Amino acid sequence: MPHIRASGLAKSFDRTRVLHDIDLDLPEGAFLALLGPSGCGKTTLLRLIAGLEVPDAGQLHFGDRMILGPNRFVPPEDRNLGMVFQSYALWPNMTARGNVEFALKARRLPAADRNARVEEMLRAMGLVHLADRRPHELSGGQRQRVALARSLALRPSLLLLDEPLANLDAHLRHRMLAEFRRLHAATGTTFVLVTHDQDEAMAVASHIAVMDDGRIQQVGTPEDLYRRPATPMVARFIDHGITLPVTVATVRDGRCDLTVGDGALSLPGSARPGRGWLCLHRADLRQAEGRGHLQAEVLSQTFLHGRYLTHVLPQGLEVDSLSVAVDRPLPVQSRIGIDITGGWVIDRDPQGPRRTAPAAMVHAHA
Amino acid sequence: MAAELRLLGDQRTGGGERLLAIALCAYVGLITIWPLGQLLLTAFRPGDEGQLLGVMRDTLSSRATGRAFWNTLTLSLMSVAVSVTLGGALALAVGLLRMAFRAALSFLILMPLIIPSQVTALAWIELLGTQSPILSPLGLAPAPGSGNPLYSGFGIALVMGIEHMPLVFIAIRAALKSLPADLVEAARIAAIAPRLVLARIILPVTLPSALAGALLAFTAAVGNFGVPALLGIPGRVPMLTTLIYQRLNGFGPSAAGQVAVLALILTLMAVAALALRGLLMRHLTMRIEDGRRFRSGRRAPLWAQGLMWAAVLVIAVLPLTALVLTSLVPAIGVPFSVEVASLEQYRAVLANDAVARAFANSLMLSCAAALICALVALPLAYLATHRPGPAVAAIDLLAEAPWVVPGTVVALAMILAFLPPLPGIGVSLYGTAAIILIAYLARFLPLVLRPVAAAAQGGDPALDEAARIAGIGLSVRLGRIFAPSVLPAALAGAVLIVMTAMNELTLSALLWSSGQETIGVMVFSLQYEGNSTAAAAVSVLSTLLLFALCALADLLGRRGGDVLPWRG
Ligand SMILES: Nc1ncnc2c1ncn2[C@@H]1O[C@H](COP(=O)(O)OP(=O)(O)OP(=O)(O)O)[C@@H](O)[C@H]1O
Ligand SMILES: [Mg+2]
């Protein structure tokens, strides 16, 4: 698949903006997860790519081919893509085999060719013994596999999946995730998977695009998002991240000297001097031997995974409680010091988050 | 180009879909919009000396118009009173009390709706006539020589009231079915007397539905042709529908302007009632929370059950029995008795070429109408749900018009549109079966379009989208994905069309010509010629055919959902 390039895509429903200015650049063979809270526009973006919705503005290219632009709209039939719907959308009047075979028949593929492909798909999905069942005689996971087989039988260069795992139980979900990885490697097809479950996204994707409120906040590898969030929304969204208000004094070689409360420290980041956010995860906090970077009052403790998860209220900072894992029980209302061992610093614009995310450019992962 | 793009949908609408939309616009335009437009134009024509709105002024100021309007209004209102009283009482009893054979009772209550108007009228004429095979032996028949009491305004109101009673019954029954159990149980727990629960809780909740049903009954009464034709013409009680019929029959096309104005009045009355109903449904319907539905545990007392069966007997069974008995009499004027009963009339009517032709014509016309309407409804419903655009939305709405306005109006519109020779070919469709077929196509399309559109709305749009993405073309998608998903609804709708068209009289009474008789016309003209025994025989045969179709529809309805009025 040539790479997919979207620029300036925007979409409104009844004058409510649902997507703003979406830019996306996806290399050949990527596995992109579109991740974001419910209602942020993931499905809408997927449907725009598929040609099931018409955007108000913007362009879409598959390689050199303009799919969507001023006075141009390639209908879904001609986009050579596959899509797995959240409801699976299996045709109820056809058997599992019929579903896989139907589009091939409609395209007048020679019978021998067609049968070979259908058999191959059914075998690959473990559906051979279920081939003659109707959709209503299949379980959710089996339907899911029929839907996958149906879209892959056409050998699309791009496969779109809209929350394909939402209806499955945890065990099946893990198996299907492994299946997605295998299929992705085996077919070389570009995958775009919509999900609101970040573990799912992290488990399969080579790239994740985090969306919020109709905008792409950041596109990057799972590690990028975790270690180098571009916006406070991403920092908080990924793995229950924490953001602390800080003041950045100087920036040198990508490291920021900053003060948090009355503690001073130096951490990597993209911030400019001025007000900033320090983005952290729980693993970056530790009880200090001495005074530490932050002073905090113990609120409560829970014993969890072999350690005491301690909820503390940091002093001199406008934040809610933090949680830090310690090795021993502590009396309530006692004071402890907390060390910050890592993190990433970004700008804190008083006018709110910056309007556009940093260039949503993604480079092929070697 | 851009405007055309938007009119037929947006960029997603493919070329095939655009062509289909244009074809459907042309179809609905030709059989619906053009004829109804002709009617409007004719009604607003200037007078003979060119005065503005001359035709309309002349017609409106004529005494005959005033009388027909007044009769239509008052008798329709009286018939609504009958419908509401009967339908309301029966619906409350069936809905609130437990009793044996409730399904059978419901079916019998709905019978008057299923039996065609002219057959109902005929059955009542036989039941209350001087020769009544049921009342004569009991000595209750009117004295020989006195006229039939039904040949009067009172008779028209009574028979129409009974015929349209099921409309009120259905409306109230539906409201009672959606009554939440909590409402009634809360009152019980508060120790409120059952009488008060009925008066203060149940009745207010069902009142909007009862009103809506009543307005529907009013619309039906205003547009009824069969009853006024069989009772009002001999009784010299003109109604708007029969006045149109008589004027056209008497004066031919020269009366076109006048009758177009009459048709306009008729339409306004019907549409006003329907608009009021729409308003009512929007504003008065109480929002009722979902939840468990109220199911009464009270058994009906024996006297109530007896009363109900007696009512149903009088409404549904006795008239039809009188009709059957009349048809068994060997010759007109012979009183019925078991000794003289014979199938002579049936032999005679079956040997009659005109009758055989009428059955063949009706069967063919109604089946063709059902088939074509279903074939049109499929793509129209498809486009309306999957590729909505202003053009498709407009024809979807306008397709409803011929069913909303009275049938007489549709028939008149067809005459105005298709009496002049067709441009190009130079032949007129009037006097051929084609004009009847076109009228059926226009009038009955909603009967299949509504259920199919509802089924399409309820379906998963992703089924079609998945097929599009898989690169499957429009015709295959329509035939293999969409059609199977709405097939039960389409079948049920088609059978409903066959049932309705097979026995209709309103349209064909104005559009038939010799050689193109329909069953309805046959019954009407046999009775008109005074051959009431033959008319009874033909009616019985057509009713039997109808019941066979009912059974078929019921079979299909089991898969088709709630398209049919007596299910559920
Ligand atoms: N056809 C439509 N008409 C009007 N509004 C719509 C339509 N489709 C989506 N929306 C609105 O657009 C917004 C984005 O919807 P979308 O389905 O893309 O969200 P999503 O990110 O997929 O959410 P979820 O995770 O819940 O599926 C929502 O606020 C939704 O209400
Ligand atoms: Mg979604």
Side-chain angles (χ1 to χ4, degrees), chain B residues 160-181:
Chain B
M160 286 203 306
I162 290 173
E163 190 187 345
H164 302 142
M165 170 275 289
L167 296 173
V168 181
F169 176 84
I170 290 171
I172 298 182
R173 187 87 174 82
L176 288 176
K177 269 189 185 162
S178 65
L179 187 71

Side-chain angles (χ1 to χ4, degrees), chain A residues 47 52 54 87 91 93 107, chain B residues 11-12 460 463 465 470:
Chain A
R47 291 172 59 84
L52 299 174
V54 185
S87 63
W91 300 310
N93 51 322
R107 292 186 181 186
Chain B
Q11 289 169 303
R12 281 170 294 177
D460 181 2
L463 291 185
E465 292 170 348

Side-chain angles (χ1 to χ4, degrees), chain A residues 285-302:
Chain A
L285 297 176
R286 209 174 53 198
Q287 187 182 5
E289 301 292 324
R291 197 175 141 71
H293 298 116
L294 290 173
Q295 286 73 52
E297 180 188 317
V298 174
L299 296 174
S300 66
Q301 274 190 316
T302 348

Side-chain angles (χ1 to χ4, degrees), chain A residues 123-297:
Chain A
R123 209 161 341 101
M125 292 290 148
L127 290 168
V128 175
H129 61 295
L130 303 172
D132 295 320
R133 295 222 195 146
R134 296 284 179 96
H136 66 93
E137 298 164 329
L138 296 172
S139 74
Q142 291 163 344
R143 281 182 215 180
Q144 162 81 73
R145 296 212 298 270
V146 176
L148 264 172
R150 182 177 71 179
S151 353
L152 287 172
L154 291 170
R155 309 217 169 119
S157 44
L158 169 63
L159 183 65
L160 307 173
L161 305 125
D162 191 359
E163 307 215 25
L165 306 179
N167 300 333
L168 306 185
D169 67 27
H171 171 69
L172 204 53
R173 197 175 305 184
H174 283 296
R175 281 216 345 239
M176 285 313 298
L177 282 173
E179 192 68 30
F180 287 162
R181 275 193 305 262
R182 189 183 67 75
L183 283 170
H184 180 242
T187 58
T189 300
T190 305
F191 277 47
V192 177
L193 175 135
V194 163
T195 177
H196 56 247
D197 179 337
Q198 47 184 295
D199 292 343
E200 207 171 289
M202 300 262 181
V204 291
S206 63
H207 306 86
I208 297 177
V210 178
M211 289 186 66
D212 188 36
D213 201 12
R215 295 174 210 279
I216 292 192
Q217 300 279 324
Q218 185 176 7
V219 187
T221 62
E223 187 176 354
D224 284 337
L225 299 180
Y226 186 90
R227 299 213 186 282
R228 292 176 286 280
T231 68
M233 180 267 157
V234 176
R236 291 180 199 128
F237 185 69
I238 299 293
D239 200 26
H240 310 286
I242 305 158
T243 52
L244 299 178
V246 298
T247 310
V248 179
T250 55
V251 179
R252 229 175 332 102
D253 301 335
R255 284 193 79 82
C256 310
D257 295 317
L258 56 90
T259 51
V260 48
D262 54 3
L265 70 168
S266 167
L267 285 171
S270 65
R272 288 162 301 189
R275 286 146 51 83
W277 286 113
L278 171 53
C279 311
L280 307 161
H281 294 274
R282 189 178 293 159
D284 297 323
L285 297 176
R286 209 174 53 198
Q287 187 182 5
E289 301 292 324
R291 197 175 141 71
H293 298 116
L294 290 173
Q295 286 73 52
E297 180 188 317

Side-chain angles (χ1 to χ4, degrees), chain A residues 38-39 41-44 86 162-163 194 196:
Chain A
S38 184
K42 306 178 295 286
T43 299
T44 307
Q86 188 169 345
D162 191 359
E163 307 215 25
V194 163
H196 56 247

